[in-house]
Amino acid sequence: ILDTGIDCDSIEHAGKCVEETSFVGDYSAYMDDPEDHVGHGTHVAGIAAVHTNNGIGVAGIGWNSSLGNLKTCFAYEIDLLPPLGLYVIVGVCPVSSSADAIIYAANNGYHVINMSYGSDELDGNGDPVGAPAQPNTETDAITYAWSQGVVLVAAAGNDNNTIRLYPAANNEVIAVGATDHFDDRASFSTFSIPGDHWVSLLAPGEDILSTMPVPDCVFLAELLGFSFDPQAEGCMTWNSGTSMASPHVAGAAALVWGHLFPGQAPQSCTSSSGIPCNEVVRSHIE
Protein backbone atom coordinates (compact mmCIF):
# COMPACT_ATOMS: atom_id res chain seq x y z
CA ILE A 1 0.00 0.00 0.00
CA LEU A 2 1.69 3.19 -1.24
CA ASP A 3 -0.19 5.89 0.66
CA THR A 4 -0.22 8.12 3.76
CA GLY A 5 0.60 5.21 6.05
CA ILE A 6 -1.42 2.54 7.88
CA ASP A 7 -2.49 2.26 11.51
CA CYS A 8 -0.79 -1.13 11.75
CA ASP A 9 -1.32 -1.39 15.53
CA SER A 10 -5.12 -1.41 15.36
CA ILE A 11 -6.98 -4.64 16.08
CA GLU A 12 -8.10 -4.88 12.45
CA HIS A 13 -4.59 -4.45 11.02
CA ALA A 14 -2.48 -6.08 13.75
CA GLY A 15 -0.23 -8.76 12.27
CA LYS A 16 -1.10 -7.75 8.71
CA CYS A 17 1.75 -5.28 8.16
CA VAL A 18 4.98 -7.05 7.27
CA GLU A 19 6.92 -3.78 7.29
CA GLU A 20 6.63 -0.02 7.67
CA THR A 21 8.94 2.07 5.50
CA SER A 22 8.75 5.79 4.76
CA PHE A 23 9.77 7.42 1.49
CA VAL A 24 8.76 10.93 2.58
CA GLY A 25 11.15 11.40 5.48
CA ASP A 26 12.16 14.81 4.12
CA TYR A 27 8.56 16.00 4.46
CA SER A 28 7.12 14.11 7.42
CA ALA A 29 8.68 12.91 10.65
CA TYR A 30 5.84 10.43 11.13
CA MET A 31 5.54 6.84 9.97
CA ASP A 32 1.96 5.99 10.89
CA ASP A 33 -1.21 7.33 9.35
CA PRO A 34 -2.67 8.36 12.77
CA GLU A 35 0.22 10.72 13.50
CA ASP A 36 -0.18 12.51 10.17
CA HIS A 37 -3.94 12.91 10.77
CA VAL A 38 -4.96 11.98 7.24
CA GLY A 39 -6.45 8.49 7.59
CA HIS A 40 -6.45 7.83 3.85
CA GLY A 41 -3.92 5.00 3.84
CA THR A 42 -5.58 3.15 6.71
CA HIS A 43 -8.93 3.28 4.91
CA VAL A 44 -7.39 2.05 1.64
CA ALA A 45 -5.49 -0.77 3.36
CA GLY A 46 -8.65 -1.92 5.12
CA ILE A 47 -10.45 -2.37 1.82
CA ALA A 48 -7.56 -4.26 0.27
CA ALA A 49 -6.64 -6.73 2.97
CA VAL A 50 -7.84 -6.08 6.52
CA HIS A 51 -8.50 -9.10 8.79
CA THR A 52 -11.43 -11.22 7.63
CA ASN A 53 -13.87 -13.44 9.56
CA ASN A 54 -12.82 -12.09 12.96
CA GLY A 55 -16.23 -10.72 13.90
CA ILE A 56 -14.91 -7.16 13.97
CA GLY A 57 -15.33 -4.27 11.54
CA VAL A 58 -15.11 -5.10 7.86
CA ALA A 59 -13.59 -7.85 5.72
CA GLY A 60 -10.70 -7.12 3.38
CA ILE A 61 -10.94 -8.23 -0.25
CA GLY A 62 -7.54 -9.95 -0.27
CA TRP A 63 -8.45 -11.90 2.85
CA ASN A 64 -5.22 -13.89 3.22
CA SER A 65 -2.86 -11.15 2.05
CA SER A 66 -0.13 -9.31 3.92
CA LEU A 67 0.31 -5.55 3.79
CA GLY A 68 3.42 -3.46 3.23
CA ASN A 69 3.02 -0.01 4.75
CA LEU A 70 5.11 2.00 2.27
CA LYS A 71 4.51 5.62 3.23
CA THR A 72 4.60 7.58 -0.03
CA CYS A 73 2.39 10.56 0.84
CA PHE A 74 2.44 13.09 3.67
CA ALA A 75 0.03 15.48 5.35
CA TYR A 76 0.01 19.00 3.94
CA GLU A 77 -1.88 21.96 5.37
CA ILE A 78 -3.70 24.32 3.02
CA ASP A 79 -4.74 27.67 4.51
CA LEU A 80 -8.23 28.30 3.08
CA LEU A 81 -8.77 31.64 4.82
CA PRO A 82 -5.40 33.14 5.84
CA PRO A 83 -6.88 35.90 8.03
CA LEU A 84 -8.83 33.32 10.04
CA GLY A 85 -6.25 30.54 9.97
CA LEU A 86 -8.75 27.98 8.62
CA TYR A 87 -6.71 25.00 7.48
CA VAL A 88 -7.55 21.78 5.66
CA ILE A 89 -5.17 18.79 5.65
CA VAL A 90 -4.62 16.92 2.38
CA GLY A 91 -2.27 14.18 1.31
CA VAL A 92 0.62 15.10 -0.99
CA CYS A 93 2.44 12.35 -2.91
CA PRO A 94 5.76 13.49 -4.46
CA VAL A 95 6.52 11.86 -7.79
CA SER A 96 10.06 11.09 -6.59
CA SER A 97 8.78 9.32 -3.47
CA SER A 98 6.28 7.38 -5.55
CA ALA A 99 9.05 6.23 -7.89
CA ASP A 100 11.28 5.18 -4.99
CA ALA A 101 8.45 3.24 -3.31
CA ILE A 102 7.48 1.46 -6.54
CA ILE A 103 11.06 0.33 -7.15
CA TYR A 104 11.40 -0.75 -3.53
CA ALA A 105 8.22 -2.83 -3.72
CA ALA A 106 9.36 -4.46 -6.96
CA ASN A 107 12.72 -5.35 -5.42
CA ASN A 108 11.26 -6.76 -2.22
CA GLY A 109 8.87 -9.45 -3.36
CA TYR A 110 5.52 -7.65 -3.44
CA HIS A 111 3.00 -9.14 -5.86
CA VAL A 112 0.60 -6.17 -6.05
CA ILE A 113 1.11 -2.43 -5.66
CA ASN A 114 -1.86 -0.15 -4.89
CA MET A 115 -1.57 3.58 -5.63
CA SER A 116 -4.67 5.50 -4.58
CA TYR A 117 -3.31 8.90 -5.49
CA GLY A 118 -2.30 11.27 -8.24
CA SER A 119 1.39 12.15 -8.03
CA ASP A 120 2.50 15.70 -7.20
CA GLU A 121 5.37 17.84 -8.42
CA LEU A 122 6.99 19.80 -5.57
CA ASP A 123 8.92 23.06 -5.68
CA GLY A 124 12.17 23.75 -3.86
CA ASN A 125 10.29 24.44 -0.63
CA GLY A 126 8.48 21.10 -0.70
CA ASP A 127 5.14 22.64 -1.69
CA PRO A 128 2.94 21.00 -4.34
CA VAL A 129 2.78 22.88 -7.65
CA GLY A 130 0.64 20.53 -9.73
CA ALA A 131 0.85 17.33 -11.68
CA PRO A 132 4.29 16.34 -12.97
CA ALA A 133 5.14 16.28 -16.67
CA GLN A 134 5.11 12.88 -18.35
CA PRO A 135 7.09 10.72 -18.68
CA ASN A 136 9.21 10.99 -15.55
CA THR A 137 11.00 8.92 -12.92
CA GLU A 138 7.69 7.43 -11.77
CA THR A 139 6.99 6.24 -15.32
CA ASP A 140 10.38 4.52 -15.39
CA ALA A 141 9.72 2.94 -11.99
CA ILE A 142 6.37 1.56 -13.15
CA THR A 143 7.93 0.09 -16.28
CA TYR A 144 10.59 -1.53 -14.11
CA ALA A 145 8.06 -2.95 -11.62
CA TRP A 146 6.00 -4.43 -14.45
CA SER A 147 9.16 -6.03 -15.87
CA GLN A 148 9.74 -7.58 -12.44
CA GLY A 149 6.35 -9.27 -12.53
CA VAL A 150 4.36 -6.94 -10.27
CA VAL A 151 0.66 -6.10 -10.76
CA LEU A 152 0.13 -2.32 -10.47
CA VAL A 153 -3.24 -0.78 -9.60
CA ALA A 154 -4.11 2.92 -9.24
CA ALA A 155 -7.04 5.30 -8.76
CA ALA A 156 -8.21 6.98 -11.97
CA GLY A 157 -9.30 10.24 -10.31
CA ASN A 158 -12.38 12.04 -8.99
CA ASP A 159 -12.88 14.87 -11.49
CA ASN A 160 -15.82 13.53 -13.54
CA ASN A 161 -13.87 13.98 -16.76
CA THR A 162 -11.58 12.08 -19.13
CA ILE A 163 -8.30 13.81 -18.24
CA ARG A 164 -5.52 11.32 -17.63
CA LEU A 165 -4.26 11.03 -14.07
CA TYR A 166 -0.86 9.56 -13.24
CA PRO A 167 0.28 7.03 -12.13
CA ALA A 168 -3.04 5.43 -13.18
CA ALA A 169 -2.74 6.38 -16.86
CA ASN A 170 0.53 4.52 -17.42
CA ASN A 171 0.09 1.58 -19.81
CA GLU A 172 1.34 -0.97 -17.26
CA VAL A 173 -1.17 0.11 -14.60
CA ILE A 174 -4.75 -1.07 -14.03
CA ALA A 175 -6.55 2.29 -13.81
CA VAL A 176 -9.68 2.02 -11.68
CA GLY A 177 -12.75 4.24 -11.78
CA ALA A 178 -15.58 4.11 -9.22
CA THR A 179 -19.14 2.76 -9.21
CA ASP A 180 -22.07 3.75 -7.00
CA HIS A 181 -24.66 1.66 -5.17
CA PHE A 182 -26.55 1.01 -8.42
CA ASP A 183 -23.43 -0.33 -10.16
CA ASP A 184 -23.34 2.75 -12.38
CA ARG A 185 -20.35 5.03 -12.72
CA ALA A 186 -20.13 7.24 -9.63
CA SER A 187 -20.88 10.86 -10.47
CA PHE A 188 -17.41 11.98 -9.42
CA SER A 189 -15.40 9.27 -11.16
CA THR A 190 -12.96 9.98 -13.95
CA PHE A 191 -13.65 7.83 -17.00
CA SER A 192 -12.38 7.12 -20.49
CA ILE A 193 -14.12 7.27 -23.87
CA PRO A 194 -14.15 5.00 -26.92
CA GLY A 195 -10.80 5.15 -28.62
CA ASP A 196 -8.96 6.07 -25.43
CA HIS A 197 -9.48 3.18 -23.04
CA TRP A 198 -6.93 4.22 -20.41
CA VAL A 199 -9.37 3.52 -17.54
CA SER A 200 -9.31 -0.27 -17.25
CA LEU A 201 -12.44 -0.93 -15.20
CA LEU A 202 -14.71 0.36 -12.43
CA ALA A 203 -15.08 -0.93 -8.86
CA PRO A 204 -17.12 0.09 -5.78
CA GLY A 205 -16.06 3.55 -4.65
CA GLU A 206 -19.06 5.38 -3.19
CA ASP A 207 -19.74 5.34 0.57
CA ILE A 208 -17.30 2.54 1.30
CA LEU A 209 -16.98 1.43 4.93
CA SER A 210 -13.43 0.66 6.02
CA THR A 211 -10.89 1.21 8.76
CA MET A 212 -9.74 4.54 10.14
CA PRO A 213 -6.93 5.31 12.63
CA VAL A 214 -7.89 4.24 16.16
CA PRO A 215 -6.86 7.56 17.81
CA ASP A 216 -9.61 9.25 15.77
CA CYS A 217 -12.23 6.91 17.21
CA VAL A 218 -10.87 7.36 20.73
CA PHE A 219 -11.07 11.13 20.35
CA LEU A 220 -14.61 11.10 18.91
CA ALA A 221 -15.86 8.61 21.51
CA GLU A 222 -14.60 10.79 24.34
CA LEU A 223 -16.00 13.91 22.68
CA LEU A 224 -19.46 12.38 22.21
CA GLY A 225 -19.54 10.44 25.47
CA PHE A 226 -19.57 6.96 23.92
CA SER A 227 -17.57 3.99 25.10
CA PHE A 228 -14.99 2.58 22.70
CA ASP A 229 -12.69 -0.36 23.38
CA PRO A 230 -9.84 -0.37 20.82
CA GLN A 231 -8.90 -3.89 21.91
CA ALA A 232 -12.27 -5.32 20.94
CA GLU A 233 -13.88 -2.91 18.48
CA GLY A 234 -12.91 -1.84 14.99
CA CYS A 235 -12.55 1.85 14.14
CA MET A 236 -14.56 2.48 10.96
CA THR A 237 -15.74 5.27 8.70
CA TRP A 238 -17.24 5.79 5.22
CA ASN A 239 -15.28 7.38 2.39
CA SER A 240 -15.89 7.85 -1.32
CA GLY A 241 -13.51 8.10 -4.26
CA THR A 242 -11.58 6.13 -6.82
CA SER A 243 -9.08 5.81 -3.96
CA MET A 244 -11.57 3.34 -2.47
CA ALA A 245 -12.22 1.60 -5.79
CA SER A 246 -8.55 0.90 -6.48
CA PRO A 247 -7.89 -1.29 -3.39
CA HIS A 248 -10.95 -3.40 -4.25
CA VAL A 249 -9.12 -4.31 -7.45
CA ALA A 250 -5.72 -4.66 -5.75
CA GLY A 251 -7.22 -7.06 -3.21
CA ALA A 252 -8.88 -8.99 -6.02
CA ALA A 253 -5.55 -9.17 -7.85
CA ALA A 254 -3.98 -10.73 -4.76
CA LEU A 255 -6.78 -13.30 -4.63
CA VAL A 256 -6.41 -14.18 -8.31
CA TRP A 257 -2.63 -14.48 -7.94
CA GLY A 258 -2.95 -16.69 -4.86
CA HIS A 259 -5.45 -18.92 -6.65
CA LEU A 260 -3.61 -19.28 -9.95
CA PHE A 261 0.02 -19.12 -8.80
CA PRO A 262 0.19 -19.97 -5.08
CA GLY A 263 3.58 -19.41 -3.49
CA GLN A 264 5.25 -18.13 -6.65
CA ALA A 265 7.41 -14.99 -6.53
CA PRO A 266 6.63 -12.26 -9.07
CA GLN A 267 10.04 -12.08 -10.75
CA SER A 268 10.20 -15.75 -11.69
CA CYS A 269 6.51 -16.54 -12.16
CA THR A 270 5.19 -17.59 -15.56
CA SER A 271 2.06 -19.48 -16.55
CA SER A 272 2.13 -22.96 -18.07
CA SER A 273 2.05 -21.29 -21.49
CA GLY A 274 5.02 -19.07 -20.67
CA ILE A 275 3.13 -15.82 -20.06
CA PRO A 276 4.32 -13.69 -17.10
CA CYS A 277 1.98 -14.13 -14.16
CA ASN A 278 1.24 -10.42 -13.77
CA GLU A 279 -0.07 -10.34 -17.35
CA VAL A 280 -2.31 -13.32 -16.62
CA VAL A 281 -3.68 -11.77 -13.41
CA ARG A 282 -4.35 -8.45 -15.10
CA SER A 283 -6.14 -10.06 -18.05
CA HIS A 284 -8.31 -12.16 -15.71
CA ILE A 285 -9.44 -9.06 -13.82
CA GLU A 286 -9.98 -6.84 -16.85
Side-chain angles (χ1 to χ4, degrees):
I1 303 297
L2 278 57
D3 217 290
T4 60
I6 304 171
D7 186 5
C8 290
D9 296 326
S10 70
I11 190 170
E12 276 282 69
H13 290 280
K16 277 283 186 175
C17 297
V18 295
E19 69 168 309
E20 298 187 72
T21 303
S22 176
F23 297 88
V24 287
D26 291 341
Y27 311 106
S28 173
Y30 304 118
M31 179 66 247
D32 291 337
D33 202 14
E35 295 171 311
D36 253 359
H37 305 292
V38 180
H40 189 273
T42 297
H43 199 273
V44 167
I47 296 167
V50 81
H51 281 299
T52 298
N53 202 30
N54 61 352
I56 298 174
V58 294
I61 301 295
W63 59 271
N64 199 31
S65 302
S66 299
L67 291 166
N69 179 13
L70 307 187
K71 186 176 177 69
T72 309
C73 311
F74 65 96
Y76 182 83
E77 288 187 346
I78 298 176
D79 193 347
L80 297 178
L81 295 172
L84 301 177
L86 179 61
Y87 292 90
V88 62
I89 297 177
V90 298
V92 171
C93 311
V95 64
S96 58
S97 301
S98 176
D100 289 344
I102 291 166
I103 292 172
Y104 178 90
N107 288 338
N108 285 273
Y110 287 100
H111 295 74
V112 182
I113 293 173
N114 185 80
M115 301 170 287
S116 288
Y117 56 83
S119 298
D120 300 290
E121 188 72 48
L122 306 186
D123 62 18
N125 297 319
D127 297 314
V129 293
Q134 298 295 324
N136 52 39
T137 56
E138 182 185 68
T139 309
D140 294 338
I142 286 170
T143 300
Y144 172 74
W146 179 254
S147 74
Q148 297 303 298
V150 182
V151 177
L152 300 107
V153 186
N158 304 319
D159 295 322
N160 186 28
N161 59 28
T162 62
I163 297 174
R164 289 170 174 256
L165 180 74
Y166 292 89
N170 286 283
N171 291 335
E172 299 89 348
V173 178
I174 302 175
V176 185
T179 58
D180 60 18
H181 294 228
F182 301 100
D183 208 27
D184 294 322
R185 180 178 66 87
S187 61
F188 56 80
S189 179
T190 297
F191 57 98
S192 57
I193 58 177
D196 185 23
H197 295 291
W198 69 271
V199 176
S200 305
L201 48 84
L202 308 182
E206 187 173 86
D207 296 328
I208 303 300
L209 183 65
S210 184
T211 47
M212 65 185 289
V214 167
D216 292 353
C217 280
V218 172
F219 171 77
L220 289 172
E222 292 177 351
L223 183 68
L224 299 174
F226 290 103
S227 61
F228 172 72
D229 181 2
Q231 302 303 315
E233 298 177 74
C235 183
M236 304 288 136
T237 192
W238 286 267
N239 277 325
S240 297
T242 58
S243 284
M244 286 65 251
S246 182
H248 278 90
V249 176
L255 283 180
V256 172
W257 191 299
H259 176 68
L260 295 178
F261 311 110
Q264 295 194 48
Q267 290 179 326
S268 59
C269 186
T270 58
S271 69
S272 57
S273 57
I275 301 174
C277 295
N278 59 342
E279 291 189 28
V280 176
V281 172
R282 177 174 183 168
S283 65
H284 268 263
I285 292 174
E286 293 183 339

